[in-house]
Amino acid sequence: MAHVSHKLKNAFEGALAGGGDPATSPLYVFGPFLKLIIVTGAVGLVADVTFGASVWLVVITVAVVSAMYRLVMRWITDGSGGSGLSEEEFGGWAAKINAAITFIEYTLTFLVSMAAMVTFIADRAPALNGFIFWHVQYRTLVAIALSVLTGWLVNRGPKMAARAFGPATFGVLLLLWAMIISTLLKFGLNFPDFNFQAFSLEIAAEGKTFLHYTLGGYVRILAVMTGIEVFANMVAAFDGSAAEKSKKAFNSLLIIMGTTAITMLIVGPAIMEIAKPNLLAEAAHTASEIGAEEVSVFTRTMDVLLPEPLPYIGTLVGIAVLMSASAAAAQGLQNLALGLSERRYVPPSLGQRNQFQVADKPVWIQVAIVAICFILFGTNEETYLAIYAAGVFVLLSMTGWAVAKRLINQIREKFNAGTLALIAGTIVAAILTTGATGIIFVERFAEGAWTYLVFIPLLYIMFSYSRARLGAPTGSMDYLGRLNAAQLAGFGFGQMAPASSTSITKVSKPEDLRWEPAPKQQSKWREEQVTIKNIAVLLDSSSNAEGALPWAKTISKYANAQLTLLSSIKNHTTALQEQFEATKAERQTYLEKVVQDAQAENIPTDYAIRPGFIADAAQSLGHEQNLDLIITTTRGKSGEKHWLSGGVSRKLIQKVNQPILLIQVDEEGQAPPPKFDRILVALDGSIYSERVLPYARAMAQTFNSELILLSVPAVPEPANYHAPAEIVETIRDNAEANMRHFLDAVARSLRDENVEARTIVTGSLPARTIVQVADNENVDLIMSTSRGRGGVDLFMMGSEAQRVVEKTTKPVFMMPIHDRPN
């Protein structure tokens, strides 16, 4: 059978896969640009002088930056080359700054593309420009609705998104070339004039110099550079040798950026001549007088240049490709979240995959941010364009200096005249992009560029906090985090690549990657003996809470343990003292009856009633009586599930040091009967997870139970990755082998004490796998450890144990961990 490849075969396929964002830029950059130099100019004089200079500056920048990326593509062929930055060369700050800017850029890409799209729609349906209330237009509602639709499509996986948006980039390339050909046929070849007066300090209009308008126009059309870095990330997506891949990726870049540059040079002057009369007329009226009649300059140009019905087809193409660019930004954020989650820069919940194997939470966060921005600031693309370009050029300038640094290191090792010339060219590119960054921030600081000074530090702190709390990733997960994000960026429908997924460290081959930390043959938790002699069960007089009683009685009876019935009453303030005493009397009568029933079964039992919250009462009783186990149900008097509502169960995990047995109670108040034939023990290979072993052994010895030891490898299964299958399979095989080695060692230590134990290594998503295995094996109890996080930690990091309790119907025994064991 012939070899079937899912990789890109040629440069044109690569252009369609990666060019969605840069190919859309001519559709919306001319409006803000021409409004600056025509509307504010002195009867068009500013436009006549500065237009050509601004356009040529952009084209030169495109050429220089493209040449710089040719170097990046040659150096980094594993798909992780987006910005050329690596933690290895620049330190952790580079990866975090890069990730922060990329997150902002993806959101701004969504904003700009969606805003430009509704502008195209409103061009053909001007009633949408009317106001509903305050400053909210009908087009705002359309933008929000289409944003939600886009997020929904993207969260249904790349196949769905590719079907919905795949042809869009091809359509916009056809549209741009149709405009180019039509311009040549109607107006001939007329390149913009490069007038040196554009750089003079002579006052042009409104007290501003020609240079001011030239640079202002330059930064407004620099958005044509957005998405250019995707082609460096796409190298690994092609077939062929490393040299062939990098050449194909560069040719893809040339197809897209070449089309963009030619559009600027050939169609640009025509757009200005067509738009100038309308813009000057608009300048003579107030915005309210223009009202719903305003039409974007690109739509006007299509109407003049293209024969019917091509302008309307062009509008549909523009709508489709701009929506695809928004979808690309959303998918880029998904991939970024996956890479950062696997490298522990963001909470695991942000990288959690849905049933379509994509991270959906980041996309919904992005859609929510976009909707809020549309409501507060409107849907004019110009509002977001300058901020958008600012972030792009921060990344491009960082790339320029990264490339220059690498070239300088090369020439230090071995002098070469060619390398010296490359250094000079790269430094020019770095200076150009850095200068553009400075101009944008100065020019548009008050209009939104200042937000980078707020959001970048905030995201940087979040990334640092997450890494500090979760620890560094294993070598294999770090490698896959980079590779998966980069590979995902190379497929689909023109999505941008996560520039922050650049390499942390370089690895020679996947076989060199080892599961970390190395499994310990022995640990004190495998040898430590525990006894359960003092048990507390939490009761609030409700039938839901009583579901824990049969389990508490059974364990107490078999372990010869003392049982304490613990209850608490919240309303104990002076003003409510009478009510407190009445409730206490009722609770006391109830508990005395339960004590009598338990003592009748020869179970030593007493009770305690404490003021305040039950979690606090359990914490204090645990210290006073050296409790060995606390038992409660997942529902109490309210009938709501504690764990989901942030109630008793969750608070207990945060506060107490003793193991907690959570008995699941269904909506009808029914709990499963106590049974301990099969117990599933979840272990992840860490020393933390082994802290549950003494209790698992004690339960098995007490009830003659079979222990099923389960590990879910840290590396997901190949089907869940878009990186090369052979690499993922190799790393997965290594991880599975090490996990089996670890579990076999644990099982041997248990069998040495006459405990029946068997092992299972399977799955990729821990919580889901634990629940599935528990159901498949028909276990009676799930046992695991849980990091006892509270407050910010719980919000940021979440908990696999939390997800298990939410998804399973089985009782769950958890050993809280509040500090790192020695």
Side-chain angles (χ1 to χ4, degrees), residues 96-98 100-102 104 391 394 441 451-463:
K96 287 181 277 191
I97 290 288
N98 209 3
I101 296 174
T102 304
I104 297 170
V394 170
F441 271 90
T451 56
Y452 284 95
L453 302 181
V454 176
F455 292 116
I456 290 176
L458 287 176
L459 290 168
Y460 187 97
I461 291 169
M462 188 189 84
F463 297 150

Side-chain angles (χ1 to χ4, degrees), residues 140-292:
T140 302
L141 300 183
V142 174
I144 292 173
L146 290 175
S147 298
V148 172
L149 174 62
T150 302
W152 179 80
L153 285 170
V154 169
N155 280 336
R156 292 183 68 81
K159 287 185 179 179
M160 171 67 77
R163 292 191 191 106
F165 305 113
T169 303
F170 181 65
V172 80
L173 284 176
L174 287 178
L175 172 63
L176 293 179
W177 278 103
M179 299 277 286
I180 291 167
I181 294 169
S182 181
T183 301
L184 290 173
L185 292 175
K186 290 194 175 187
F187 297 99
L189 180 60
N190 297 295
F191 287 130
D193 293 330
F194 194 97
N195 191 330
F196 285 97
Q197 186 184 359
F199 300 95
S200 75
L201 297 178
E202 178 186 347
I203 300 299
E206 298 183 350
K208 298 174 181 176
T209 65
F210 281 110
L211 178 62
H212 173 89
Y213 285 107
T214 301
L215 295 180
Y218 173 58
V219 300
R220 279 164 176 77
I221 52 177
L222 275 179
V224 297
M225 300 292 293
T226 59
I228 189 173
E229 79 281 354
V230 70
F231 297 101
N233 291 86
M234 286 180 60
V235 177
F238 289 90
D239 272 329
S241 65
E244 291 170 339
K245 290 177 180 180
S246 65
K247 184 178 180 180
K248 289 176 183 177
F250 183 66
N251 289 339
S252 297
L253 181 152
L254 290 181
I255 290 171
I256 296 298
M257 301 313 298
T259 297
T260 300
I262 292 171
T263 302
M264 302 293 296
L265 292 173
I266 294 178
V267 185
I271 293 177
M272 187 182 77
E273 291 306 315
I274 292 168
K276 186 187 292 185
N278 298 87
L279 289 174
L280 289 172
E282 288 175 10
H285 297 78
T286 64
S288 60
E289 290 174 324
I290 298 168

Side-chain angles (χ1 to χ4, degrees), residues 62 218 238 404 428 453-454 456 509 541 562 579 596 647 703 734 786 802:
V62 169
Y218 173 58
F238 289 90
V428 169
L453 302 181
V454 176
I456 290 176
K509 51 188 177 180
S541 77
Q562 169 73 33
Q579 182 181 348
Q596 290 174 3
F703 295 100
N734 287 344
S786 172
Q802 171 185 333

